[in-house]
């Protein structure tokens, strides 16, 4: 499926779903007839990040992070052994040097691991974080931004866990939060984008927490949110926001104007059941943790760079039928 479909120029394409080790198994006819038992599947995936082709998925109920390696066709896990085992991992982010930061609401900490599962740092002292749900890394500034939803604020740390500063308080004025839940960093500007869930909006701050702008409102039309969950940006500055109540994700321009939405409860390529975190990798592939459907959905933003690298596939996509609704900016 592509969105929008012919005769319009396609901008987004569905790629595939990941459900667990079953994705890499060779199933026989008996498996299809009677089902596959004891298959290691993803259970309640919430957070998602990508590093050098590996898909990192936090499994909140299982207390671990799955490392999906499509090239090697295998899945491994971190956070299940050693002195810092995960309890209820939610948000996840990865630095340019491969350090994985996991916001664990059960431990009330952010735990940093390498790709082998070795603990590299513990962020958040005793009673410092109450409900850390999301985390983002500014590689250039060496800062770790942690969203504490119950405290209605963002705390900022160095990579080794040193507290730097914080911003936000509960309210609905500019710069206030009402259960913030998602975060991303604009690598071009260092701006910090926060999903302010109960205020039904996205707020934009500079790197030091100074309020800059906002977009979104309560509703179900283009540009509106029911329960926004998480946020990500692609290489051309488009902003993607998932919505756990409306079961969709929307695409916005860099200044917050609604462009397109992919929505509908279900299990198909455009269907979701409680979508949570979203991540966009360096190739503009989009990964969404479709939590209640127990899978990761992958899409591809058809950027100008991508079209130049995949001209034949792009020509095929141009012939595909319609698959989405578009939203015009409100007057």
């Amino acid at each position: 499926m592509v969105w929008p479909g012919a005769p319009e120029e396609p901008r987004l394409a569905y790629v595939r779903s990941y459900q667990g080790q079953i994705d890499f198994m060779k199933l026989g006819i008996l498996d299809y007839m009677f089902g596959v038992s004891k298959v290691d599947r993803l259970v309640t995936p919430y957070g998602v990040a990508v590093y050098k082709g590996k898909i990192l998925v936090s499994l909140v109920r299982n207390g671990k992070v799955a490392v999906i390696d499509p090239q090697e066709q295998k899945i491994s896990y971190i956070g299940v052994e050693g002195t810092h085992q995960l309890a209820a991992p939610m948000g996840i982010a990865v630095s340019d040097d491969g350090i994985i930061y996991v916001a664990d609401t059960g431990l009330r900490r952010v735990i940093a691991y390498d790709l082998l599962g070795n603990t590299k740092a513990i962020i958040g002292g005793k009673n410092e974080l109450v409900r850390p749900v999301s985390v983002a890394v500014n590689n250039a500034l060496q800062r770790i931004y942690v969203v504490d939803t119950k405290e209605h604020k963002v705390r900022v740390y160095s990579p080794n866990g040193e507290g730097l500063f914080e911003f936000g308080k509960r309210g609905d004025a500019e710069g206030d939060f009402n259960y913030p839940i998602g975060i991303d960093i604009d690598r071009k500007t260092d701006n910090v984008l926060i999903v302010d869930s109960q205020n039904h909006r996205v707020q934009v701050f500079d790197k030091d927490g100074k309020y800059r702008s906002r977009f979104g409102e309560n509703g179900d039309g283009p540009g509106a949110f029911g329960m926004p969950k998480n946020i990500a940006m692609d290489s051309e500055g488009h902003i993607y926001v998932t919505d756990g109540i409306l079961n969709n994700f929307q695409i916005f321009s860099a200044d917050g104007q609604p462009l397109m939405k992919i929505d509908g409860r279900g299990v198909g390529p455009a269907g979701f059941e409680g979508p949570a975190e979203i991540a966009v990798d360096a190739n503009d592939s989009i990964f969404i943790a479709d939590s209640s459907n127990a899978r990761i959905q992958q899409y591809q933003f058809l950027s100008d760079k991508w079209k130049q690298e995949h001209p034949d596939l792009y020509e095929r996509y141009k012939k595909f039928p319609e698959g989405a609704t578009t939203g015009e900016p409100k007057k």
Side-chain angles (χ1 to χ4, degrees):
M1 296 181 70
V2 299
W3 297 267
E8 296 186 60
E9 178 185 4
R11 302 296 293 167
L12 190 78
Y14 169 77
V15 178
R16 65 167 296 175
S17 294
Y18 293 94
Q19 297 177 320
Q21 191 62 45
I22 190 173
D23 297 322
F24 308 125
M25 295 175 61
K26 294 182 179 179
L27 303 181
I29 188 170
L30 293 180
D31 296 316
Y32 288 106
M33 291 176 62
F34 300 107
V36 182
S37 63
K38 298 182 179 180
V39 173
D40 198 359
R41 296 177 181 266
L42 302 178
V43 177
T44 318
Y46 185 92
V48 62
V50 186
Y51 181 74
K52 294 186 176 180
K54 294 181 174 64
I55 307 165
L56 313 170
V57 184
S58 66
L59 305 177
V60 62
R61 289 185 182 176
N62 282 1
K64 57 186 177 181
V65 170
V67 182
I68 303 173
D69 191 331
Q71 184 173 356
E72 296 292 330
Q73 296 195 342
K74 66 178 183 180
I75 297 179
S76 57
Y77 297 93
I78 62 175
V80 294
E81 298 178 349
T83 57
H84 298 101
Q85 298 179 27
L86 295 170
M90 294 188 70
I92 186 169
V94 60
S95 65
D96 286 348
D97 56 356
I99 301 301
I100 304 163
Y101 295 88
V102 185
D104 193 303
T105 60
L107 299 177
R108 298 186 178 186
R109 301 283 195 279
V110 172
I111 314 296
Y113 301 94
D114 63 19
L115 286 169
L116 298 177
N118 300 309
T119 303
K120 306 301 290 185
I122 306 294
I123 296 176
K126 184 178 181 180
N127 300 323
E128 187 173 303
L129 295 170
V130 179
R131 190 168 173 79
V133 294
S134 192
V135 59
V137 180
N138 185 315
N139 294 281
L141 297 177
Q142 289 291 288
R143 291 179 179 178
I144 313 300
Y145 293 77
V146 182
V147 176
D148 191 330
T149 188
K150 199 167 184 179
E151 290 291 280
H152 312 281
K153 66 177 58 178
V154 177
R155 298 183 186 271
V156 186
Y157 298 86
S158 69
N160 62 8
E162 176 188 1
L164 301 177
F165 63 93
E166 62 184 50
F167 60 95
K169 61 180 177 62
R170 191 169 194 180
D172 57 9
E174 293 180 346
D176 290 347
F177 298 121
N178 192 13
Y179 292 99
I181 195 168
I183 187 171
D184 196 30
I185 306 294
D186 185 337
R187 292 198 174 196
K188 294 181 179 179
T189 65
D190 290 326
N191 284 343
V192 184
L193 288 76
I194 306 292
V195 176
D196 188 10
S197 67
Q198 294 296 310
N199 283 326
H200 308 284
R201 64 188 181 185
V202 170
Q203 296 200 76
V204 182
F205 300 81
D206 71 8
K207 59 183 174 53
D208 299 317
K210 182 180 179 180
Y211 172 83
R212 301 196 61 157
S213 63
R214 69 181 186 184
F215 63 89
E217 62 184 7
N218 188 18
D220 58 7
F225 302 115
M227 179 67 72
K229 296 285 284 190
N230 204 257
I231 192 166
M233 296 185 70
D234 65 29
S235 65
E236 294 185 1
H238 301 105
I239 301 169
Y240 302 75
V241 184
T242 56
D243 195 307
I245 292 293
L246 299 181
N247 292 300
N248 68 23
F249 72 94
Q250 293 193 69
I251 307 173
F252 297 83
S253 64
D255 61 355
Q257 295 297 321
L259 302 175
M260 181 185 297
K261 66 177 177 178
I262 313 299
D263 65 347
R265 176 172 291 173
V267 296
F272 300 98
E273 190 72 40
E277 276 205 345
I278 182 170
V280 181
D281 71 10
N283 298 312
D284 285 323
S285 287
I286 303 154
F287 299 83
I288 297 175
D290 189 10
S291 188
S292 295
N293 280 331
R295 63 185 182 178
I296 300 297
Q297 294 282 76
Q298 181 181 354
Y299 301 84
Q300 179 65 51
F301 169 54
L302 308 183
S303 63
D304 290 338
K305 178 183 177 183
W306 184 92
K307 288 186 287 187
Q308 292 175 2
E309 294 174 349
H310 305 86
D312 294 339
L313 184 54
Y314 177 62
E315 288 300 317
R316 288 178 55 199
Y317 281 155
K318 288 170 66 175
K319 301 176 183 178
F320 282 13
E322 178 67 43
T325 57
T326 58
E328 293 296 331
K330 293 188 175 182
K331 302 297 184 182

